[in-house]
Amino acid sequence: MNKEAVGQIFKAGEPNPYGEFFTGQTFLTNLTDTPDGSAGIGVVTFEPGARNNWHIHHDGYQILLVTGGLGWYQEAGQPAQALKKGDVVVTHDGVKHWHGAQADSWFEHIAITAGTPEWLEAVSDAEYTQL
């Protein structure tokens, strides 16, 4: 699957300005903010094998709506769960987690994010390849 095949609902976007907190190439399309400004909504597109660092949302949450490709989501201390188009993930306030593409697939999700992210360590290649 190529980048164009993933971005069928919204364009794949520009190189992610938060790239320093990701392994591999990702693209971001900011869609909008909620009317009260408490949450942002954007599309993140991941090349195969790309993923974000472990992170925590403080005083908020993150909802992921998977729109294309195959991905992973993992909370600290829990097994990773495979994601596919149509899956929904809700990450509660203060939960350490990461998400990204499977090794052989592009991956895309809409992220609804409230609160302040705390970016942590990268998901190592050793951790990732054990999935």
Side-chain angles (χ1 to χ4, degrees):
M1 181 177 287
N2 62 30
K3 184 175 92 167
E4 291 73 27
V6 173
Q8 292 183 7
I9 297 173
F10 301 101
K11 66 178 183 160
E14 301 302 319
N16 194 335
Y18 302 100
E20 67 186 290
F21 304 115
F22 288 72
T23 298
Q25 184 66 48
T26 62
F27 304 88
L28 176 64
T29 301
N30 285 313
L31 297 176
T32 191
D33 291 327
T34 56
D36 65 0
S38 64
I41 303 169
V43 178
V44 184
T45 304
F46 299 77
E47 72 177 359
R51 59 221 182 247
N52 53 32
N53 289 8
W54 288 98
H55 59 287
I56 298 170
H57 299 279
H58 295 286
D59 301 317
Y61 56 85
Q62 188 169 55
I63 300 170
L64 305 178
L65 309 172
V66 180
T67 56
L70 300 173
W72 293 110
Y73 172 83
Q74 185 175 22
E75 293 182 357
Q78 301 296 318
Q81 61 184 96
L83 299 175
K84 65 184 181 327
K85 184 177 180 179
D87 286 343
V88 176
V89 175
V90 177
T91 304
H92 296 277
D93 183 44
V95 174
K96 182 178 177 180
H97 68 287
W98 70 271
H99 34 101
Q102 291 188 16
D104 58 355
S105 177
W106 284 83
F107 177 62
E108 179 183 83
H109 62 58
I110 296 172
I112 303 167
T113 307
T116 304
E118 176 186 1
W119 292 102
L120 304 167
E121 71 276 10
V123 175
S124 71
D125 289 342
E127 287 175 296
Y128 182 80
T129 57
Q130 291 179 12
L131 300 175

